Amino acid sequence: QIRFMNDEPFSIKARTKSFKYAFSGIRDFIIREHNARLHLAATVVVIVIAILLKVNYAEAILLTIVTGLVWICELINTAIEKVIDFITFEKLPPIKYIKDVAAAAVLVAAIVALITGCLIFIPKI
C-alpha cells in the first residue's frame, strides 16, 4: 500500500494556512530581493501603459501571462539559489551551472515579455 507523508483529511483551516504561507513568501521575496523590486516596478509600468493605451482583452491576457511567467521564473530562480547557498557557498562548476541555468530561465522569460510588450504597445503609440 502506498502511504503519503500527509494522510490528514482535507481541512479549510490548513488550506487557509497554506495561502498565508504563500503570501508571506511573496512579501518576503519583494522585501529581500532587489530583482523582485525591479520586477514589481516593471509590472506596475506595464499595467499603467496597458491602461493608458487601452489594450484589448486578448492583449491584456497575453501581458498577464508573460508578466506572470517572469515572476514565476524569478521566484523559482531565487528558491534554487537560496537552497544551494544553504547547502554550500563553494564555487564549484556544477553549482555555477545550476545557478546560471536558473538565471537564464528568468532572462528568457523577461525577453519574451519584452517582445510581447513591444508587439502590443508599439503599434498603439
Side-chain angles (χ1 to χ4, degrees), residues 17-95:
K17 277 186 178 181
S18 69
F19 277 99
K20 180 182 157 199
Y21 299 143
F23 283 114
S24 175
I26 292 169
R27 184 196 69 233
D28 292 347
F29 175 66
I30 292 169
I31 290 169
R32 295 179 184 182
E33 300 298 322
H34 294 134
N35 285 347
R37 293 193 290 274
L38 291 174
H39 293 306
L40 181 60
T43 300
V44 170
V45 168
V46 167
I47 292 168
V48 169
I49 293 171
I51 291 168
L52 292 175
L53 296 179
K54 297 182 171 98
V55 300
N56 64 40
Y57 191 71
E59 293 165 336
I61 290 170
L62 287 173
L63 291 170
T64 301
I65 290 169
V66 296
T67 301
L69 180 65
V70 173
W71 279 96
I72 291 164
C73 286
E74 187 64 60
L75 286 158
I76 293 170
N77 175 54
T78 300
I80 289 168
E81 287 182 353
K82 297 303 178 190
V83 167
I84 290 172
D85 290 345
F86 181 76
I87 295 168
T88 182
F89 282 111
E90 285 188 74
K91 304 289 185 193
L92 302 172
I95 291 173

